[in-house]
Amino acid sequence: MRVPLSWLREYVDLPATETGRDVQAKLISAGLEVEAVEHLGADLKGPLVVGQVLTIEELEGFKKPIRFCTVNVGQANGTGEPQEIVCGARNFAVGDKVVVVLPGAVLPGNFAIAARKTYGKTSHGMICSGDELGMGDDGSHGIIVLPPETEVGKDAIELLELVDEVLDIAVTANRGDCLSIRGVARETAIAYGLPLSDPALLDVPGPNAFGYPVQVSDPIGCDRFTARTVTGLSPEARSPLWLQRRLQKVGMRPISLAVDVTNYVMMELGQPLHAYDRNLVQGTIGVRRAEEGEKIVTLDGVERKLHAEDLVITDERGPIGLAGVMGGANTEIADHTEAEGTTDVVIEAAHFDQVAIARTARRHKLSSEASKRFERGVDPQATSAAAQRTVDLLVLLAGGSAEAGVTEVIAPSAPHTITVPASHPDKVAGVEYGRETVVRRLQQVGCDVYGQDELIVTVPSWRPDLAEVNDLAEEVIRLEGYENLPSTLPKPPSGRGLTHRQRLHRRVGRALAGAGYVEAPNYPFIGEQVFDQLLLEADDPARRVVKLTNPLNDEEPALRTSLLPGLLGALRRNDGRGSHDLALFETGLVFLPREKQRVAVSLPVDRRPTDEEIAELNAALPEQPRHAAVVLAGAREQAGWWGKGRPADWADAVEAARAVAREAGAELVVRQGQYGPWHPGRCAELVVVVDGAERVVGHAGELHPRVVKALGLPARTSAAELNLDVLEEVGNDTPQAPGISTFPVATQDVALVVSREVPHAEVEAALREGAGELLEGIRLFDVYENDEQLGEGRKSLAYALRFRAADRTLTVDEASAARDAAVALAGERAGAVLRS
């Protein structure tokens, strides 16, 4: 909502020294989000005056039409002589009053004006358009043509109100009253402790039997409808400058007098209105729900097929408007430039149901200034005042006559009353305000308050958002100042804190961040086509997804079963924007549908659900294990004076998986595998032992070239993903103090020849078990393949074995015996033989 300070001052007598910044600070303190203060005309410098065109000479021989004009600017140029000006616009004629900027002036954008030679003539200034003065579009798309009665030589800066301050307020969904000058003025008056000159306090005639006939068939959708008629309007009448400028300042474009007046009153009072050409309305105006399949052409020229829940305005032909959203083209007010303009109008000021208008606007993708206000809440008792204000302005500005007939259709309703303890705001804020302060603040926002310890509060009609006791408490707190609330730290009871699962997730995140990965959280939505891109088999369980009934994006209607699609998408975007060395990670939930689908029960709201009801609700939800995943591309170690660096590869992804397992205290078995998106020769299967049985918890390695191509990823992209919940289940992350021996270590190296199909993990496991308790550590330090030396299909694995005893120095024989036992078991289980 844009609020000109000059308009605001009409209803609140602010001190002359108060600036837009001062008002902004006051309103922010009162809880309104004033995003900016725009200083109109701050860089504008005169002379800028009213001139009258005396002569126009058409200049020939140029690519576009050029006119050489003489303009009378009175004594503004110091000589009284006509001002010679070159202009390319065509929308003015001899005798028209225009806005002239003279040499020495500065226009918005720091555009200095000086006499200059152009098109063979010397131009002493400019004839201005609205855009050049920072006014915006006035509908003419050209030079500003002023009313004939405007005085020549008058200061145009003052005439056009070019210098002003405009508050830009982001109005929240519950404060529809602040989508008007009236509402913001009320908040300003409260903030400054000043009286409000309410523009809605007008003398309004009562309803009678002579008004335009109206039939409301849906009193729930429309509980109040006021109709007034004005006749004898001058078709040539145009909106005065002051009205046009106010509309431009609030962000609206002047159109025609009748339309401008209804828009002006809407911005002033917050009540949307509509003006119908009376000669085009046939019979009684009605309000009803649309019939399924009915059609209407709205003012934007679009034919719309109506839904049975749409609220429409009708005459005897059918719909003539979408109630609270937009009028129909068949009763549109004629523009003043048309030969037969509108002379008689029917003014509609109605109050419509918030939900009905919101749904209609969204259903037809048609958001308007009217719908924005109705769906946030409009003062139902402002309809009569808004209609009267519109009638008064049309009579004043277009020479019309107000008919005596007044139509008001009102559905009976009682004011909303709330009973609240006087101490309730104190309990909510933790501050002792006292009854007197609570009553005073509630009365300031328009509430009627009665009672002592128990207050009976009648909510004003313009505040439909005040629905219960906490809303009233919020009003007291915000007006007393959020900044005055004391800052206190919560005092949690002992024994509370993060759960074991939460602590594990945080440790995993810190470990991966410490290893150089950057966290990249992603939305949990995917499209099923990504499974084909990831080369998943047709029967892969990951293809079973939970579908959303109302997805944010039709291309991603399902919940993810893997973290990789989102992470790989983030990697692709960053690579496309010039970041080629990437290491990203994410920990998050995946969603796996249960074998047997259940319908979720509706839990009660009048009591705490029982444990059985909560368990039944949880059973209807999909399984949601937490996964951890990493993706890498580009350089893992940068090149520089210290060395050549190295690219990221499959081993980095495997090491990231090991780091995650270490944080969970789980023993991770890494062996060769093959699954979906990973390269079949560079894929590691990640296994843990659960209750004596092996369980695959994830995979790591380099992605398949076809996956890289399908997803547009950098070459040799690597990734890993594993199930954190399973790691937590089997792990023991209780810190274990290491045993430190003071005796020396004995190192034995062995090189074993095995078949190439035998994984290193199998050989290592056999060596560990065979070496026994003296083995302190084992490390694979060499892999060698040579068919001539080792035999076809064979490879050599070289290990460094570290032996140490806690109570003595090992002899060579003890270390050798342990080594031989390890080699013997490796030979028995993996067919390994010592390399000669």
Side-chain angles (χ1 to χ4, degrees):
M1 177 69 190
R2 292 170 56 84
V3 180
L5 191 59
S6 58
W7 198 350
L8 191 63
R9 287 182 182 275
E10 285 195 7
Y11 310 128
V12 183
D13 188 17
L14 293 171
T17 56
E18 289 295 287
T19 66
R21 295 290 186 191
D22 298 328
V23 177
Q24 177 189 31
K26 286 282 190 180
L27 292 180
I28 289 175
S29 178
L32 292 186
E33 187 178 347
V34 186
E35 293 186 326
V37 178
E38 183 179 352
H39 297 271
L40 302 181
D43 52 354
L44 178 65
K45 177 184 176 184
L48 187 73
V49 298
V50 176
Q52 184 173 24
V53 180
L54 301 177
T55 64
I56 298 177
E57 176 188 349
E58 302 288 346
L59 302 181
E60 305 292 340
F62 300 102
K63 293 182 179 180
K64 61 180 181 179
I66 298 297
R67 311 167 98 186
F68 181 65
C69 311
T70 59
V71 185
N72 175 22
V73 295
Q75 297 299 316
N77 57 3
T79 65
E81 296 295 323
Q83 201 80 0
E84 296 180 340
I85 299 175
V86 175
C87 184
R90 313 289 297 175
N91 68 312
F92 64 94
V94 172
D96 282 346
K97 303 289 180 65
V98 294
V99 178
V100 179
V101 57
L102 300 177
V106 179
L107 294 184
N110 199 29
F111 180 40
I113 302 300
R116 64 189 183 95
K117 190 170 184 179
T118 179
Y119 297 103
K121 301 285 187 176
T122 300
S123 181
H124 298 273
M126 286 174 53
I127 301 175
C128 297
S129 68
D131 286 337
E132 290 165 337
L133 298 179
M135 295 170 54
D137 181 20
D138 63 355
S140 66
H141 305 290
I143 294 302
I144 301 171
V145 178
L146 301 171
E149 64 273 13
T150 309
E151 178 186 349
V152 172
K154 183 177 178 64
D155 183 2
I157 295 178
E158 178 182 351
L159 175 69
L160 299 176
E161 301 178 14
L162 296 178
V163 178
D164 202 350
E165 292 181 282
V166 179
L167 307 176
D168 191 354
I169 303 175
V171 179
T172 54
N174 65 319
R175 292 303 305 271
D177 60 305
C178 288
L179 284 174
S180 66
I181 304 297
R182 178 195 183 199
V184 176
R186 183 181 294 107
E187 291 295 317
T188 305
I190 295 173
Y192 278 91
L194 296 171
L196 169 70
S197 299
D198 192 342
L201 294 180
L202 302 174
D203 290 330
V204 179
N208 53 52
F210 310 109
Y212 197 92
V214 173
Q215 175 65 43
V216 177
S217 303
D218 189 342
I220 295 177
C222 175
D223 58 5
R224 189 177 291 257
F225 194 108
T226 301
R228 300 289 299 276
T229 304
V230 181
T231 60
L233 299 177
S234 171
E236 292 81 22
R238 297 180 59 187
S239 302
L241 286 174
W242 64 266
L243 193 150
Q244 292 187 45
R245 287 297 294 134
R246 286 193 169 176
L247 289 178
Q248 288 173 334
K249 289 177 183 178
V250 298
M252 304 190 77
R253 182 174 67 86
I255 299 174
S256 63
L257 178 59
V259 176
D260 292 349
V261 167
T262 57
N263 285 337
Y264 178 85
V265 175
M266 176 179 67
M267 302 307 296
E268 182 180 53
L269 301 182
Q271 169 65 50
L273 302 106
H274 191 72
Y276 301 95
D277 189 326
R278 181 176 179 177
N279 298 321
L280 298 179
V281 179
Q282 298 180 14
T284 300
I285 292 178
V287 183
R288 61 171 172 82
R289 300 286 175 168
E291 296 177 6
E292 190 68 41
E294 273 189 305
K295 295 181 179 179
I296 183 176
V297 178
T298 46
L299 288 174
D300 56 359
V302 177
E303 182 179 80
R304 303 181 186 278
K305 187 176 180 180
L306 300 179
H307 188 276
E309 292 186 3
D310 291 336
L311 200 64
V312 293
I313 311 297
T314 65
D315 64 6
E316 64 183 25
R317 296 167 298 177
I320 60 174
L322 273 175
V325 180
M326 185 174 286
N330 53 357
T331 57
E332 181 178 8
I333 298 291
D335 188 87
H336 68 83
T337 59
E338 299 183 23
E340 297 183 3
T342 299
T343 58
D344 303 337
V345 298
V346 178
I347 306 300
E348 165 212 311
H351 183 261
F352 300 112
D353 177 61
Q354 292 179 239
V355 174
I357 301 307
R359 289 179 176 172
T360 296
R362 283 156 179 74
R363 188 179 297 118
H364 294 283
K365 296 181 173 61
L366 186 62
S367 179
S368 64
E369 291 292 338
S371 68
K372 290 177 184 176
R373 284 161 175 78
F374 278 123
E375 63 191 38
R376 285 168 172 79
V378 170
D379 183 0
Q381 296 186 15
T383 56
S384 300
Q388 183 64 46
R389 178 73 163 136
T390 304
V391 168
D392 292 343
L393 287 173
L394 288 175
V395 171
L396 175 67
L397 302 177
S401 299
E403 289 194 352
V406 177
T407 301
E408 280 196 5
V409 180
I410 303 174
S413 62
H416 182 49
T417 300
I418 303 172
T419 301
V420 55
S423 60
H424 184 68
D426 300 8
K427 294 178 180 178
V428 173
V431 175
E432 188 175 343
Y433 293 122
R435 178 189 177 280
E436 182 180 346
T437 298
V438 171
V439 171
R440 175 171 57 86
R441 288 304 190 183
L442 292 178
Q443 289 175 338
Q444 283 180 330
V445 299
C447 297
D448 290 330
V449 186
Y450 301 95
Q452 292 298 319
D453 295 338
E454 200 80 13
L455 302 180
I456 300 174
V457 181
T458 302
V459 174
S461 59
W462 57 82
R463 290 299 302 275
D465 59 304
L466 302 182
E468 48 105 12
V469 293
N470 287 326
D471 297 328
L472 301 179
E474 182 183 5
E475 291 300 295
V476 175
I477 295 167
R478 75 175 181 87
L479 294 178
E480 283 295 303
Y482 290 123
E483 68 277 11
N484 295 324
L485 293 176
S487 298
T488 57
L489 292 175
K491 298 177 180 179
S494 60
R496 301 293 178 89
L498 297 178
T499 65
H500 182 271
R501 189 182 193 217
Q502 291 171 329
R503 290 196 299 271
L504 172 60
H505 299 160
R506 292 195 178 188
R507 289 203 310 273
V508 167
R510 285 195 295 267
L512 292 175
Y517 291 85
V518 176
E519 187 171 14
N522 295 283
Y523 288 119
F525 311 118
I526 60 171
E528 293 181 81
Q529 72 280 357
V530 76
F531 298 133
D532 294 328
Q533 296 170 326
L534 293 176
L535 304 181
L536 297 186
E537 299 290 341
D539 59 349
D540 193 303
R543 283 183 175 268
R544 294 184 63 244
V545 295
V546 177
K547 295 279 188 73
L548 299 172
T549 58
N550 56 341
L552 296 178
N553 183 350
D554 291 338
E555 295 181 358
E556 296 180 333
L559 292 173
R560 66 190 179 190
T561 56
S562 167
L563 302 182
L564 288 185
L567 269 181
L568 293 174
L571 184 139
R572 179 180 61 249
R573 286 191 298 273
N574 282 276
D575 181 72
R577 294 171 183 171
S579 298
H580 303 302
D581 303 326
L582 295 162
L584 309 178
F585 85 92
E586 179 179 8
T587 60
L589 301 179
V590 298
F591 305 85
L592 309 177
R594 299 182 185 272
E595 292 295 332
K596 183 179 179 181
Q597 297 293 331
R598 299 186 182 182
V599 178
V601 297
S602 296
L603 297 181
V605 296
D606 58 342
R607 59 176 174 81
R608 183 191 182 279
T610 64
D611 293 341
E612 291 76 14
E613 288 172 331
I614 295 176
E616 188 176 354
L617 177 64
N618 289 333
L621 298 176
E623 295 182 26
Q624 301 176 52
R626 184 173 289 269
H627 282 199
V630 301
V631 293
L632 306 97
R636 185 65 176 136
E637 295 178 2
Q638 295 290 336
W641 58 265
W642 52 85
K644 294 182 179 180
R646 69 172 183 86
D649 60 17
W650 62 269
D652 294 300
V654 173
E655 180 55 33
R658 284 196 170 107
V660 172
R662 281 195 298 270
E663 292 300 323
E667 184 176 347
L668 192 67
V669 178
V670 179
R671 64 191 181 199
Q672 186 174 359
Q674 183 173 343
Y675 177 70
W678 280 277
H679 191 298
R682 298 169 187 155
C683 174
E685 187 176 69
L686 310 175
V687 178
V688 295
V689 177
V690 183
D691 296 331
E694 290 187 345
R695 180 171 174 181
V696 177
V697 293
H699 294 82
E702 182 181 316
L703 295 183
H704 197 291
R706 285 165 55 192
V707 174
V708 169
K709 182 178 180 181
L711 296 177
L713 303 172
R716 311 299 292 270
T717 297
S718 298
E721 181 172 13
L722 64 169
N723 190 322
L724 263 183
D725 285 355
V726 177
L727 292 179
E728 180 186 10
E729 179 185 346
V730 302
N732 178 14
D733 57 0
T734 303
Q736 300 292 330
I740 301 175
S741 174
T742 59
F743 297 96
V745 66
T747 303
Q748 297 273 356
D749 293 345
V750 294
L752 303 177
V753 178
V754 296
S755 173
R756 288 184 185 174
E757 286 73 26
V758 176
H760 140 70
E762 183 178 335
V763 178
E764 181 181 315
L767 290 174
R768 283 184 181 277
E769 184 177 345
E773 62 180 11
L774 293 179
L775 182 67
E776 182 181 78
I778 182 171
R779 180 174 62 88
L780 175 69
F781 65 86
D782 183 55
V783 178
Y784 177 69
E785 295 179 359
N786 188 310
D787 289 346
E788 293 182 2
Q789 295 185 16
L790 302 177
E792 185 175 354
R794 309 283 285 175
K795 64 181 177 182
S796 171
L797 303 177
Y799 295 91
L801 307 178
R802 291 169 57 89
F803 298 99
R804 195 193 312 253
D807 56 351
R808 67 188 186 280
T809 299
L810 291 177
T811 65
V812 174
D813 291 339
E814 286 178 311
S816 297
R819 178 202 63 188
D820 293 342
V823 171
L825 190 58
E828 178 183 337
R829 293 188 176 176
V833 296
L834 279 172
R835 180 180 171 189
S836 58

